[in-house]
Amino acid sequence: MDLPFDRPSPVTRRWRVTGWLLAGVWLFFLNIPLFTAVHQTQPWRQAVGVATLVVFGVLYLLIFQWARGLRQTHRPIPVGRARASVGLLLGLGLAGIPGTEGDWLTTLVFVAAAAVFLLPPVDALVVVVLAASTPPVTAALVPGWEAESTVVFAVLLASFAMFGVSRLAQRNGELRAAQAEIGRLAVAEERARTARDLHDILGHSLTVVAVKAELAGRLLALDPARAAAEIADVERLAREALADVRRTVGAYREISLRGELAGARSALAAAGIVGDLPDDPPALPAAREELFGWAVREGATNVVRHSGARRCVIRVHPDRVEIADDGRGPAGSDGATGWELADGDGADGHGLLGLRERTRRLDGTVTVGRRPDGTGFLLRVTVPVGQR
């Protein structure tokens, strides 16, 4: 089975590992002060230089991941803790001077980048200006220290790059939030439409039933014959209302695979999810086509509402239908926590439990879990070819 996916979702384990790598790869530039510390002639200077640089690197990674986690969940970064973090990084860089000597200035590149990522714009600008001006100032004040123009350039370049990265991360987070809101609004609109339909069907009938029942209660002692007539009308109206509800529910249940594929394509596009759906599904027996249509409806609804996916692939075969995404995937018991039930807790006609009940009627099976490559989510409904 080939299920093509172009990009992993930003919430996958692979992306989280990539985040650590993106932060850690820049620590390579600490090799200059580390080289100086390792080649100190006095052991205590070696120890101070190496220890402060190691702590500096670990702290930088932890701060980066802490702030990144807050940004991804759309929570603000506490200004006080951000300032303390930047100050702690600067303090560690200064503490390593006995071992790193003038090469401690390299740590200012990381201090400036952290300030841009953590602090408000004005605070970050102040830190960047101070970091960029420190090398020439210290060169003028401390004998033997060079101006380190490369450090000045690196501070400015790293600050500019981190500004772009942080703004891009912010925009991506806003985009994901907007897509989730679109999915939520689409589901809310469908529920509102159903509620309107039921209100139109039952509102008038139940109002008349209530009025006639009240009238019959008042006439029961005064005019039993008329009260009986009113009760008969109440019974007739109740039966008519029940028939209307059944007809309406029947209309909802009469679905086609092609119609559900078209609806899924529209819902995925509205939610900003790339849909890879068949344009011309194979001809199927009526019962199997209806079942596969329900599978597409339930699967697409859950992709839009719960998965956090960027891409959804639907494949229809004569004996099975598969709905897969590159989102969070299952995270709990029964393999379906990543996708919750579409509506209700398994009532017939709703959610994955309802889908299982329909599938059992055709001696088929429902499989939920991760895709073959171990990521995302896969819903597969299989029916033996010999069945209807």
Side-chain angles (χ1 to χ4, degrees):
M1 176 187 66
D2 265 335
L3 294 173
F5 288 86
D6 292 337
R7 296 174 296 179
S9 168
V11 295
T12 62
R13 178 177 177 273
R14 182 181 302 174
W15 179 265
R16 291 194 294 269
V17 173
T18 302
W20 284 99
L21 293 176
L22 287 174
V25 68
W26 299 107
L27 295 178
F28 169 79
F29 293 102
L30 290 178
N31 71 90
I32 296 175
L34 183 62
F35 180 85
T36 301
V38 169
H39 288 82
Q40 289 288 344
T41 58
Q42 295 175 288
W44 73 271
R45 290 183 181 273
Q46 288 183 345
V48 169
V50 172
T52 54
L53 288 174
V54 170
V55 175
F56 182 94
V58 172
L59 181 64
Y60 177 80
L61 288 176
L62 294 177
I63 290 173
F64 182 87
Q65 290 300 320
W66 165 69
R68 182 169 173 268
L70 292 178
R71 287 182 180 273
Q72 286 184 336
T73 54
H74 313 295
R75 290 179 291 169
I77 298 175
V79 177
R81 294 182 64 181
R83 289 172 177 168
S85 300
V86 174
L88 187 55
L89 287 174
L90 178 60
L92 284 170
L94 292 170
I97 290 178
T100 58
E101 299 178 352
D103 289 331
W104 79 275
L105 294 170
T106 304
T107 62
L108 293 177
V109 178
F110 298 90
V111 172
V116 173
F117 195 69
L118 299 175
L119 298 178
V122 175
D123 292 4
L125 180 61
V126 171
V127 173
V128 171
V129 171
L130 291 176
S133 60
T134 297
V137 171
T138 55
L141 297 178
V142 181
W145 284 14
E146 299 179 0
E148 295 290 352
S149 58
T150 56
V151 173
V152 177
F153 177 76
V155 166
L156 297 177
L157 182 61
S159 301
F160 181 78
M162 185 58 72
F163 177 80
V165 169
S166 61
R167 291 301 176 270
L168 179 62
Q170 179 181 347
R171 295 297 181 266
N172 286 341
E174 293 172 353
L175 179 60
R176 288 194 296 271
Q179 290 174 347
E181 181 67 11
I182 290 173
R184 187 190 66 80
L185 291 176
V187 173
E189 176 61 25
E190 178 64 18
R191 288 177 173 173
R193 185 180 71 84
T194 304
R196 288 194 298 269
D197 289 348
L198 291 178
H199 177 271
D200 293 342
I201 293 168
L202 296 178
H204 174 73
S205 298
L206 293 182
T207 299
V208 176
V209 165
V211 171
K212 284 185 170 290
E214 182 180 359
L215 177 61
R218 292 200 302 266
L219 293 175
L220 191 60
L222 301 175
D223 191 346
R226 186 179 173 188
E230 296 294 341
I231 292 297
D233 279 346
V234 168
E235 180 182 1
R236 177 183 58 80
L237 288 170
R239 292 183 182 278
E240 290 177 356
L242 180 59
D244 287 340
V245 171
R246 285 174 173 168
R247 282 193 294 271
T248 302
V249 173
Y252 284 132
R253 288 173 179 265
E254 292 170 3
I255 64 175
S256 67
L257 177 59
R258 292 179 181 271
E260 291 307 317
L261 287 171
R265 182 178 286 107
S266 176
L268 292 170
I273 300 172
V274 177
D276 186 350
L277 288 71
D279 295 322
D280 188 21
L284 300 171
R288 196 182 312 162
E289 178 173 349
E290 181 181 0
L291 173 63
F292 287 2
W294 275 112
V296 170
R297 173 183 288 191
E298 297 295 343
T301 299
N302 278 288
V303 169
V304 170
R305 292 179 59 188
H306 304 298
S307 70
R310 289 184 175 179
R311 187 175 179 86
C312 175
V313 175
I314 298 178
R315 293 288 182 262
V316 180
H317 304 274
D319 63 335
R320 69 186 186 278
V321 60
E322 299 166 336
I323 302 95
D325 67 56
D326 60 349
R328 300 183 184 89
S333 61
D334 197 33
T337 303
W339 278 7
E340 300 168 6
L341 296 181
D343 283 296
D345 289 16
D348 187 27
H350 299 289
L352 297 178
L353 294 183
L355 182 61
R356 288 191 177 97
E357 292 176 3
R358 294 188 185 90
T359 305
R360 280 197 294 267
R361 295 177 191 142
L362 298 182
D363 297 327
T365 58
V366 176
T367 304
V368 291
R370 294 192 180 276
R371 295 187 290 129
D373 61 0
T375 62
F377 195 92
L378 172 66
L379 168 66
R380 180 187 294 119
V381 176
T382 304
V383 176
V385 176
Q387 298 298 320
R388 293 168 290 174

